[in-house]
Amino acid sequence: MKRLCLCEICECGRHRCKHLPTALFTKGNQGWAVSEYNEKYPTYKNCHPPKILKPKPEIKCNYGPMEGTTTFRSHFIPYEVSPRPEIKRPKYQPSPGVIDFGSTYKQEFGPYQLQPVLPFRPKERKRGTDVKADTLPTYKDHFRQWAITRQEPHTPKMSFPIPTAKYQNTTTYHDEFIPLGLVPCESFKPSNIPKLSDVPFEGVTSNQLHYIPHPLNVHFVKAPHEFKPSDQPFQNFTSHRHDYQGLPGQMPKSCKPEHVAISQDTPFQSSTEFRDRFLPWPVTPIQVHKTPEYKSPTERMDLRTTTGTNFLKHQIQPFIPARPPYRPVCSSHPFEGTTTTKEDFKAWKGERQETIRQPSAIQLPSGKMEDVSTFKSHYIQHQLQPTVSCKPLPAPQCSKVPMDEETTYRTQFTPKKISMCPASMDPMPGFVFEKVDDRGHRLFRELSSQEQKSTSARNAGF
């Protein structure tokens, strides 16, 4: 018998078995899984695994009524508590007699008669005389001012006579260097005279001379291919629709509550819990305090103050300033506005000097402008010849040979038969389900030819 898994039978690659997380522990009361550890280290006969002392997590449920007693209520014994006795204190009675305010300081330290302390500083003796003080210092007495004579200058006398004539404002450059006229320079630039030619322009190119037009063949126009629709109907089934079919089930019920129509004939209940429980209390109005009216006093107001009554004004002489009085210096003579600067340095009569211009060597024309340019005077107009286009005519390239309608897709493509995956069928043809492996693999047994014939006959008779 050959057993195959669902993963091995699948041809499309979309059917797989659900693997379990581990296969070390088998299901049911089967033996231990074979491993390398069990083969090398066999078990001992007399040794048993140690017993687990941990209690089993069993929940003891008591469905009777719960007692309201606790350990504090059961063990606590109340004692008789008596009130604490009060302590009677005697009443305060003041002692008879007079209080003695004497202290040890007053008894041991008696007062002594003290005399005032005499100062050790000698008395200040003032020596005053009626003679006027001499305010002349020793500096003024010993150091007298000498009579200083003016020292004559040691500079030599100037032998240059000062000119009395007016300044001419000329320099040696103006006197010795006489301006000369401009010398005309000869120009080495060639004359701008166009060179004219009497020979007409030849509009012939190498393309026009050597190009030979060749005749073109007639372009073959292919007739359009007529579209023929397919006779077979279109199969709109996909692999998802074919393989994954929905399971039969009931339609989901809506969790939305049923709509109950509210009748509008019933009157609206305007009473609420707040209106029923919270009733208005009787409130007394607030008494408004009336302010007494203002009455102005009838007697006259005394506006005197303590300063005006107690502090009298004394006649005090004003303070005389120690600064000497300001005496303006006035003179009846007119003010002389002449100074040494005005007398020695008198203003000259300044005239603006004319600009020194050199005579121009170019003589400007005086007549009217002719308004004729060199282009107008020398340009000769020629007749234009149209250029011949060397571009070939857009003639269609036609061919009488028919076009081959064969392509690489038509020649090399071979249609393949669409086959269904046997793992998607239920029941699977040619296989019988046996069991599920420890790792989660679904194992199928392949039927023989006789078993397949018997199963097919059963299905046909059914």
Side-chain angles (χ1 to χ4, degrees), residues 408-417:
T408 55
Y409 182 81
R410 289 187 178 182
T411 56
Q412 298 179 4
F413 178 74
T414 54
K416 297 180 181 179
K417 185 179 179 180

Side-chain angles (χ1 to χ4, degrees), residues 207-270:
N207 194 1
Q208 292 180 358
L209 295 174
H210 301 290
Y211 180 75
I212 302 171
H214 297 279
L216 298 175
N217 299 327
V218 182
H219 183 67
F220 175 75
V221 180
K222 182 185 176 181
H225 179 70
E226 296 180 0
F227 174 73
K228 295 180 180 180
S230 178
D231 300 336
Q232 297 180 1
F234 180 70
Q235 296 180 1
N236 57 351
F237 285 99
T238 59
S239 58
H240 182 81
R241 288 188 178 183
H242 194 274
D243 297 339
Y244 299 95
Q245 298 179 0
L247 300 176
Q250 298 179 358
M251 292 294 293
K253 296 182 180 180
S254 177
C255 300
K256 187 177 180 181
E258 297 180 359
H259 178 69
V260 180
I262 301 172
S263 60
Q264 300 293 336
D265 300 335
T266 56
F268 180 71
Q269 296 180 3
S270 60

